[in-house]
């Protein structure tokens, strides 16, 4: 069993019954959590997500079953030592109100016996990682932070001892949608660097689709109805429960899984160079029935729209609205189309250079291709 | 002879009685804390033991003070013994109840995340729960101190030390002009001690409570 990757978790026939409650909160759950991935537990309230998560770090002791970490049975290991290897962050943050931000983050490093210097360096590193300036925030107390900043410190504290595994119970739950999205994005960026094994609990399917490499959909009693990638769950829900849980918007949600970097974007839009002569502009305008030409600078970066009717006159351009980058998804493209009434939306590559232009029609073609690629044989509307 | 002349005449006596009084109260308080605080830690998460302990401490407080001091003469004789024990018994309720309330008010999410990070039970108690409950515990001490300062005057009735002796002398001399002076001296010194103790506990609270907890 020694060849198991660090951070692998296996739950085997885990059961938790509370005395005097008929059905177990978690009933014979078996689940493999691969190292370095974000596994999201999602499901309706009371289905046993939190219980499952706390079984992993044994804040709740199982009635029966086994827990393996790195292939080693930890069901009987000293729970305090086990927990120092597992980061834990919860919605209420649970920060120590009587300790400074730095002391909070230093909690686990100190228990692990790290030196003062190493601990202090770790605190600063983590504050930077979660986007808080160490010099400003190190000495603050939790109540001197906004809710979102507290959540960031909570995540930093959970990362304190550089654990191989992180358990996060609705860590962004108590935050307004705008900040939550920012935190989610930052967290994904951090995870791309750290590659921890993360068990993430939420009851928001959108958050699950966004955050998860894999999603486990729970119904009552900790029963896992489907455990798969977001793509698979959205396109091939295993049963009635899963389809009703992901709801009517599954087709739209799936759009948020396709990045523009991965799709073909039509690149036949008429373009002119910013330094082109009036003649060349007139020729370009004459060769198309589009109302606007796209103006590119010397590096082929889009700078604006040139009305075809005025192509010959001295290039007043209309500004680009809602340009799309490679990280944007089909969902964002559609959203942009609906937000701005302009017909075409420029798509750029990672360097900001022109890749193509999306219109409602070409986007519809992409969406349809996306749906059939995902295995959905739906009627074309 | 006016009050000030009288006071300058028996000033050493007033001063010694005041010091004795303060010491008596601190002794009662100290023993009550030494017993009450660990007891509170043992019972705050339980149901029945908590109800029993708080119930008994409540009963202590309702025994009329003359009766309690008197009852304690039988096992403990006269003087310091019964005085200290009686004051300890009166101090239990505010001290234990505040400690229990303070510990129970600690946010469960804070304790859970402490456990989740691998802190031992003892460490959580010492470095999380008690510091968070501390302002409430100190308030209990402050209330107990005020309570004991008044009650300690009864100690004189069982030959105990303190300012009660001045008041008792005053009662003995009832009808003479000095009676009222002695009583005023005793009462005024108790009030002065009360103000002093209150300020001291306020300062203690300020100095020992984390800035993260103050408003
Ligand atoms: N200490 C407890 N004693 C008895 N029953 C409990 C206890 N804790 C949880 N339960 C029960 O176990 C079940 C699962 O609870 P759990 O907290 O895991 O749900 P959850 O999926 O996290 O829900 P939510 O989304 O509301 O947080 C629930 O039915 C709950 O009532
Ligand atoms: Mg929960």
């Amino acid at each position: 069993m020694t060849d198991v990757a660090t951070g692998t978790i296996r739950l085997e026939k885990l059961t938790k019954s509370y005395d005097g409650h008929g059905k177990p909160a978690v009933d014979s759950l078996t689940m493999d959590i691969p190292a370095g991935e974000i596994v999201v537990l999602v499901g309706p309230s009371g289905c046993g997500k939190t219980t499952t998560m706390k079984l992993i770090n044994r804040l709740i002791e199982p009635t029966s079953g086994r827990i393996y970490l790195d292939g080693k049975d930890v069901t009987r290991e000293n729970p305090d030592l086990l927990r120092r290897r597992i980061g834990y962050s919860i919605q209420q943050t649970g920060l120590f109100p009587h300790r400074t931000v730095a002391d909070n983050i230093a909690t686990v490093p100190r228990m692990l016996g790290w030196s003062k210097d190493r601990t202090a360096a770790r605190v600063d590193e983590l504050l930077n990682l979660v986007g808080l300036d160490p010099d400003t925030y190190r000495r603050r107390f939790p109540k001197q932070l906004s809710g979102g900043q507290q959540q960031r410190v909570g995540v930093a504290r959970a990362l304190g001892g550089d654990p191989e595994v992180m358990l996060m119970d609705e860590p962004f739950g108590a935050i307004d949608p705008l900040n939550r999205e920012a935190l989610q994005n930052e967290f994904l960026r951090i995870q791309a660097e750290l590659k921890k094994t993360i068990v993430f609990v939420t009851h928001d399917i959108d958050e699950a689709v966004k955050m998860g490499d894999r999603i486990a959909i729970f119904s009552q009693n900790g029963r896992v109805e489907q455990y798969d990638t977001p793509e698979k769950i959205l396109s091939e829900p295993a049963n009635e429960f899963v389809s009703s849980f992901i709801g009517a918007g599954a087709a739209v949600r799936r759009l948020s899984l396709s990045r523009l970097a991965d799709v073909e974007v039509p690149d036949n839009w008429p373009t002119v160079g910013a330094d082109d002569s009036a003649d060349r502009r007139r020729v370009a305008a004459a060769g198309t029935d589009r109302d606007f030409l796209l103006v590119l600078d010397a590096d082929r970066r889009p700078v604006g729209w040139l009305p075809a009717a005025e192509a010959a006159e001295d290039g007043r351009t209309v500004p680009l609205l809602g340009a799309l980058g490679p990280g944007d998804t089909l969902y964002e493209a559609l959203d942009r189309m609906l937000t701005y009434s302009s017909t075409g939306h420029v798509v750029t590559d990672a360097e900001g250079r022109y890749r193509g232009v999306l219109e409602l029609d070409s986007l519809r073609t992409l969406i349809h291709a996306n749906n059939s690629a995902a295995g959905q044989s739906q009627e074309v509307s | 002879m006016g009050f000030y002349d009288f006071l300058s005449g028996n000033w050493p006596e007033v001063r010694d009685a005041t010091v004795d009084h303060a010491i008596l109260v601190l002794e009662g308080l100290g023993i009550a804390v030494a017993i009450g605080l660990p007891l509170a830690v043992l019972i705050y998460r339980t149901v029945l033991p908590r109800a029993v302990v708080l119930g008994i401490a409540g009963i202590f407080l309702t025994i009329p003070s003359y009766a309690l001091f008197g009852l304690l003469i039988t096992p403990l004789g006269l003087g310091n013994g019964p005085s200290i024990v009686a004051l300890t018994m009166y101090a239990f309720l505010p001290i234990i109840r505040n400690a229990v309330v303070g510990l129970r008010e600690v946010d469960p999410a804070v304790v859970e995340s402490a456990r989740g990070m691998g802190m031992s039970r003892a460490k959580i108690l010492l470095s999380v729960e008690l510091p968070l409950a501390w302002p409430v515990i100190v308030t209990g001490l402050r209330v107990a101190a005020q309570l004991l300062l008044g009650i300690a005057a009864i100690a004189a009735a069982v030959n105990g030390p303190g300012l009660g002796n001045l008041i008792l002398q005053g009662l003995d001399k009832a009808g003479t002009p000095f009676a009222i002076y002695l009583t005023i001296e005793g009462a005024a010194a108790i009030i002065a001690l009360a103000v002093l103790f209150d300020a001291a506990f306020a300062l203690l609270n300020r100095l020992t409570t984390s800035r993260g907890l103050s408003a």
Side-chain angles (χ1 to χ4, degrees):
Chain A
M1 289 288 244
T2 44
D3 54 345
V4 178
T6 305
T8 310
I9 304 169
R10 176 174 169 77
L11 310 180
E12 202 172 271
K13 297 208 182 118
L14 268 189
T15 297
K16 175 64 191 181
S17 325
Y18 290 104
D19 301 334
H21 293 254
K23 289 208 155 182
V26 174
D27 195 1
S28 194
L29 172 70
T30 295
M31 195 168 172
D32 280 294
I33 298 169
E37 290 197 2
I38 301 183
V39 168
V40 181
L41 314 183
V42 63
S45 190
C47 65
K49 307 180 292 289
T50 297
T51 305
T52 302
M53 160 165 293
K54 290 189 190 170
L55 283 166
I56 297 176
N57 67 354
R58 296 193 24 229
L59 281 176
I60 295 175
E61 291 288 359
T63 310
S64 64
R66 315 236 131 241
I67 304 145
Y68 296 90
L69 184 60
D70 307 341
K72 188 170 155 276
D73 186 350
V74 294
T75 324
R76 296 270 168 275
E77 194 176 309
N78 176 325
D80 286 339
L81 296 181
L82 175 69
R83 288 178 199 140
R84 288 173 204 173
R85 293 161 56 196
I86 301 179
Y88 183 62
S89 87
I90 54 179
Q91 177 178 338
Q92 310 88 318
T93 72
L95 292 178
F96 299 143
H98 61 305
R99 297 212 177 147
T100 60
V101 165
D103 285 338
N104 265 285
I105 297 174
T107 306
V108 175
R110 282 183 189 147
M111 281 191 286
L112 293 174
W114 291 15
S115 73
K116 263 206 166 104
D117 289 347
R118 183 173 173 207
T119 303
R122 179 72 179 156
V123 167
D124 286 2
E125 178 191 351
L126 286 170
L127 279 173
N128 280 322
L129 190 70
V130 298
L132 296 174
D133 173 42
D135 290 333
T136 312
Y137 291 101
R138 202 188 285 128
R139 289 191 144 77
R140 293 225 187 150
F141 286 98
K143 67 159 197 238
Q144 298 167 317
L145 304 175
S146 74
Q149 291 167 339
Q150 290 179 13
Q151 302 252 355
R152 284 163 203 258
V153 174
V155 171
R157 183 174 73 167
L159 285 165
D162 200 11
E164 43 200 292
V165 173
M166 292 270 283
L167 306 179
M168 313 182 79
D169 196 345
E170 306 195 30
F172 311 137
I175 306 240
D176 66 274
L178 213 67
N179 273 302
R180 180 195 307 200
E181 197 173 327
L183 269 174
Q184 288 169 339
N185 291 338
E186 267 172 64
F187 189 75
L188 287 174
R189 173 182 60 74
I190 293 171
Q191 166 65 359
E193 233 172 89
L194 301 181
K195 298 256 190 292
K196 306 264 181 211
T197 307
I198 294 169
V199 181
F200 190 106
V201 167
T202 176
H203 51 241
D204 175 1
I205 182 71
D206 288 313
E207 186 168 60
V209 168
K210 174 161 189 184
M211 304 299 287
D213 294 310
R214 281 164 208 249
I215 299 176
I217 305 227
F218 280 61
S219 58
Q220 289 313 310
N221 309 114
R223 260 242 314 281
V224 175
E225 298 291 339
Q226 190 169 4
Y227 179 38
D228 217 325
T229 60
E231 290 83 355
K232 268 283 168 46
I233 283 183
L234 290 176
S235 57
E236 295 171 39
N239 56 35
E240 201 50 39
F241 180 87
V242 176
S243 5
S244 79
F245 187 76
I246 59 185
V252 174
R253 289 207 176 87
R254 204 160 48 235
L255 296 180
S256 66
L257 293 169
S258 301
R259 305 218 169 268
L260 293 180
D262 307 325
V263 301
E264 291 282 331
V265 182
D267 59 355
N268 55 1
W269 196 275
T271 63
V272 291
D275 306 326
D276 282 356
S277 66
D279 269 349
R280 289 192 52 180
R281 292 205 298 267
R282 190 168 26 219
V283 171
T288 178
D289 54 0
R290 304 283 189 189
D291 292 334
F292 290 90
L293 309 177
L294 183 62
V295 183
L296 305 176
D297 68 10
D299 290 325
R300 292 189 63 73
R301 290 196 176 83
V303 290
W305 298 105
L306 180 67
E310 305 162 24
E313 285 139 57
D314 212 20
R316 275 187 305 112
T317 59
V318 179
L320 300 166
L321 284 180
L324 296 157
D328 287 321
T329 63
L330 289 181
Y331 181 88
E332 280 145 334
L334 180 61
D335 185 61
R336 223 57 71 79
M337 299 265 170
L338 300 177
T339 308
Y340 302 102
S341 53
S342 52
T343 45
H345 285 264
V346 180
V347 181
T348 58
D349 64 13
E351 281 75 46
R353 278 188 281 268
Y354 169 74
R355 256 187 79 205
V357 172
L358 269 181
E359 291 170 286
L360 209 43
D361 264 347
S362 46
L363 181 63
R364 190 155 61 200
T365 311
L366 282 178
I367 289 173
H368 178 62
N370 180 53
N371 282 354
S372 14
Q376 192 124 352
S377 48
Q378 274 177 341
E379 286 298 301
V380 186
S381 54
Chain B
M1 183 153 56
F3 177 69
Y4 288 104
D5 294 330
F6 182 81
L7 178 61
S8 53
N10 78 339
W11 166 246
E13 196 189 340
V14 173
R15 186 195 57 209
D16 291 351
T18 305
V19 171
D20 289 349
H21 199 85
I23 289 174
L24 179 63
V25 166
L26 287 175
E27 282 170 338
L29 212 54
I31 297 174
V33 169
I35 299 172
L37 216 51
L39 201 57
V41 166
L42 286 177
I43 61 167
Y44 79 101
R45 284 169 177 245
T46 65
V47 177
L48 191 62
R50 172 162 55 103
V52 169
V53 168
L54 289 178
I56 292 174
I59 291 171
F60 285 167
L61 202 56
T62 60
I63 305 175
S65 29
Y66 262 113
L68 182 57
F69 280 85
L71 284 172
L72 289 171
I73 296 177
T74 318
L76 300 169
L78 289 169
N80 258 320
S83 309
I84 293 174
V85 172
L87 291 184
T88 301
M89 288 167 71
Y90 285 123
F92 274 147
L93 188 67
I95 287 174
I96 298 176
R97 199 190 45 202
N98 274 51
V100 165
V101 168
L103 288 167
R104 288 178 68 84
E105 271 176 0
V106 173
D107 183 356
V110 171
V111 175
E112 189 196 284
S113 67
R115 281 218 302 146
M117 287 187 288
M119 277 195 183
S120 67
R121 185 72 200 93
K123 189 165 166 68
I124 292 175
L125 183 69
L126 290 177
S127 67
V128 179
E129 291 178 297
L130 283 173
L132 292 180
W134 187 244
V136 185
I137 295 174
V138 173
T139 303
L141 285 175
R142 204 164 154 178
V143 171
Q146 302 296 309
L147 186 72
L148 296 199
L149 281 168
I151 295 176
I154 311 292
V158 296
N159 272 357
L163 290 162
N165 288 299
L166 292 178
I167 299 171
L168 217 54
Q169 283 174 35
L171 284 175
D172 267 355
K173 297 194 166 84
T176 72
F178 301 144
I180 192 87
Y181 291 161
L182 283 163
T183 310
I184 288 175
E185 281 174 353
I190 288 178
I191 292 170
L193 277 180
V195 172
L196 206 71
F197 269 56
D198 212 43
F201 278 112
L203 188 68
L204 176 73
N205 199 12
R206 274 277 286 283
L207 294 180
T208 55
T209 298
S210 156
R211 271 197 306 124
L213 296 182
S214 45

